[in-house]
Amino acid sequence: MRRAPAPVASQFAHIGDQHIEYVRLEGKSTAPTLVFLHEGLGSVAMWRDFPQRVADATGHSALVYSRAAYGLSSPLAAARRPDYMHVEALTTLPALLDLLSIDQPILIGHSDGASIALIHTGARVRAVRAVAAMAPHVFVEALSLTSIANARHVYETGDLRQRLSRYHADVDSAFRGWNDIWLAPEFRNWNIESFVGGIDCPVLLIQGEDDEYGTLAQIDAIQRQSPGRVERVVLAACGHSPQRDQPEATLAALARFIASVASASA
């Protein structure tokens, strides 16, 4: 039986008027740091031990952080805008990487985090060694909106709020900051496909066949428009969270991809 590692204590970075929760996982390699970007309801704690498993399997150091409103990070000071992923990708993420002296990272994003990784890389804000995007969104689909509306119903009438409160200091800020903007009429035309053509590093796409928040059209669009090397992994019996639904297959795909990127760089 695999023994779970001892949890790493959170630290806090101060960026503007926000304090951002993060943990650093030390690896054996001086190779690029793995930077984990969580989903729309995620946080450091909600990744559980998956970042540590990836770091152990690859030997790379890792950074895991909670965006504002999530985990132990600052709650939202105002309502989110439709461009909140752009702001994270183009302003907050670069500031955090600069503050922690992380150069040419490998970005590993899930859902909203994958979209943030694609925007950051495609805008060429700073050099990125590679991107692994799990269940990314590059445009809004009807399936996504139906599932997000259902999540609101469960949050308001079921036990979802209670379950999420274990992972977020301000659970309403975390949930509403994601749910309200995705269901806002002005978000229907959100699209980041224009950034895909600017991605100049290897890309790994991982998506579940049963993803309730997006279809394979999302990774089809990325693969079609990416100018460089793209690997694609579609997992059976897998929903929106490959790292939870198919952890071994997801870990294996990431380890292979990261090793190939490190080998090519060498």
Side-chain angles (χ1 to χ4, degrees):
M1 179 181 296
R2 181 174 54 84
R3 180 176 297 176
V8 178
S10 291
Q11 302 180 67
F12 293 90
H14 296 277
I15 298 176
D17 59 354
Q18 299 174 334
H19 61 272
I20 302 297
E21 176 196 17
Y22 72 93
V23 298
R24 298 194 77 162
L25 308 174
E26 297 303 323
K28 300 175 182 178
S29 173
T30 58
T33 299
L34 312 177
V35 176
F36 287 82
L37 304 168
H38 64 73
E39 63 186 295
L41 291 177
S43 66
V44 167
M46 281 194 72
W47 279 110
R48 302 175 187 171
D49 69 342
F50 190 74
Q52 184 69 64
R53 294 190 67 194
V54 178
D56 289 345
T58 62
H60 289 239
S61 297
L63 169 71
V64 191
Y65 79 98
S66 300
R67 299 193 295 275
Y70 299 102
L72 302 180
S73 293
S74 300
L76 292 177
R80 260 205 184 115
R81 305 181 319 196
D83 65 347
Y84 74 97
M85 284 184 263
H86 293 70
V87 173
E88 186 71 27
L90 305 178
T91 303
T92 307
L93 177 57
L96 180 62
L97 297 178
D98 286 343
L99 184 65
L100 300 179
S101 300
I102 295 175
D103 296 319
Q104 298 188 48
I106 295 176
L107 303 181
I108 302 175
H110 173 222
S111 191
D112 276 17
S115 302
I116 290 165
L118 294 171
I119 296 170
H120 178 88
T121 306
R124 301 187 183 181
V125 178
R126 59 209 315 284
V128 172
R129 189 67 61 85
V131 177
M134 301 186 293
H137 303 283
V138 291
F139 53 85
V140 178
E141 293 183 278
L143 173 68
S144 305
L145 299 180
T146 297
S147 294
I148 291 168
N150 183 62
R152 174 182 287 183
H153 177 74
V154 175
Y155 187 83
E156 293 173 346
T157 63
D159 66 347
L160 179 58
R161 185 179 187 278
Q162 180 181 357
R163 288 188 283 119
L164 288 174
S165 66
R166 298 193 298 248
Y167 302 102
H168 304 290
D170 187 334
V171 66
D172 291 328
S173 181
F175 184 84
R176 295 298 182 187
W178 163 75
N179 193 268
D180 288 355
I181 195 61
W182 268 88
L183 294 179
E186 60 267 31
F187 197 73
R188 301 295 171 90
N189 294 324
W190 176 87
N191 188 299
I192 62 166
E193 290 177 272
S194 62
F195 289 93
V196 175
I199 296 174
D200 58 355
C201 64
V203 176
L204 172 66
L205 304 172
I206 303 177
Q207 180 128 354
E209 287 184 347
D210 305 318
D211 190 338
E212 65 275 29
Y213 285 94
T215 71
L216 295 179
Q218 301 286 342
I219 63 172
D220 289 344
I222 298 168
Q223 188 171 28
R224 183 173 61 249
Q225 298 175 73
S226 295
R229 168 188 156 203
V230 178
E231 297 182 27
R232 171 188 178 118
V233 176
V234 178
L235 299 172
C238 180
H240 188 58
S241 301
Q243 74 276 17
R244 291 194 287 270
D245 296 343
Q246 292 287 356
E248 301 306 324
T250 303
L251 176 61
L254 286 169
R256 286 194 303 269
F257 177 70
I258 292 166
S260 71
V261 169
S263 175
S265 299

